[in-house]
Amino acid sequence: MVNQQQPNVSREERELLSSLGLDDLLSSSQSLLINGDEDASSSSSQMHPAVKAGLAVGFVANLALLLSLPPVIMRRGAPYLPTFSRSSNVMWERIRSSPSIKSRLKNGESLSFVDLGSGDGRLVFQAARQNMFVKSIGYEINPVLHGFAAGRRIIQAPMYWSKTSFAIRDLWKVSLHNVDVVAVYGLQPIMKDLGKKLQAELRPGSLVVSNVFSIPGWRAEKGSKGN
């Protein structure tokens, strides 16, 4: 007799999945157990597939975090920190309500968006959905995060293929001369030099959104910078 049920999961395994935020993997994973089969009891001692998946996700996340530390130590970047939906919604509202952006959209101009330190790519995909930009580009120096974003572009967002792109590049080597809106998350030690780069390269009317830290000497609303 064959019975389909969920395999036994130890308390330690459940706690591990919970710490990784992957509790739902347990409910989606099932296995076949054969009543009276001696091998069935031994299978309970094996690691649950959901736990293996959780460990893999945890490993990749930690590797991405570790690879983001060298630029921080050298004062050339910031650690990976995802932008949450509430913050990004406010950001898009401010961009859309900016007088210069409103005027250029009204005149039918083609605008571009760049995320310096794009991480997992979420802001780039959100920018593509705003119907404000003909092109949204994410630059990331961390190869793990870049690979994750590129994978999402293929699997999760093929409809935005022509509007989005990602590249592995040091933010200090990115040319911003033809960019209209720039999003950046940087730590305070780099903001002064970053402000000089933005000031030198961006054309008049461009908009810069700086998350968390301000750019010294720039006048702007909370959370956004413009020149």
Side-chain angles (χ1 to χ4, degrees), residues 107-119:
N107 293 333
E109 294 186 33
S110 299
L111 305 182
S112 61
F113 171 86
V114 161
D115 186 6
L116 295 177
S118 52

Side-chain angles (χ1 to χ4, degrees), residues 156-190:
Q156 294 182 326
M159 69 286 290
Y160 302 119
W161 183 267
S162 63
K163 288 187 175 183
T164 62
S165 65
F166 295 94
I168 298 180
R169 196 169 301 172
D170 187 330
L171 66 86
W172 302 102
K173 298 179 180 179
V174 174
S175 174
L176 301 171
H177 293 90
N178 297 316
V179 179
D180 301 292
V181 178
V182 177
V184 61
Y185 164 68
L187 298 181
Q188 192 61 45
I190 73 169

Side-chain angles (χ1 to χ4, degrees), residues 25-40:
L25 287 178
L26 289 174
S27 59
S28 63
S29 176
Q30 292 183 325
S31 66
L32 290 176
L33 298 179
I34 302 177
N35 289 348
D37 192 340
E38 293 180 357
D39 293 335

Side-chain angles (χ1 to χ4, degrees), residues 8 28 40 94 123 128 130 143 160 167 175 192 196 201 220 225:
N8 295 329
S28 63
R94 286 177 173 163
L123 276 187
Q130 298 302 312
Y160 302 119
S175 174
K192 183 176 181 180
K196 292 179 180 179
E201 297 184 17
K225 307 295 174 191

Side-chain angles (χ1 to χ4, degrees), residues 106-150:
K106 186 177 180 180
N107 293 333
E109 294 186 33
S110 299
L111 305 182
S112 61
F113 171 86
V114 161
D115 186 6
L116 295 177
S118 52
D120 60 11
R122 66 183 65 190
L123 276 187
V124 175
F125 295 125
Q126 289 180 18
R129 291 195 293 266
Q130 298 302 312
N131 294 320
M132 288 190 288
F133 311 105
V134 294
K135 194 69 175 181
S136 301
I137 308 172
Y139 294 105
E140 174 60 53
I141 198 171
N142 188 320
V144 174
L145 292 173
H146 167 74
F148 184 76

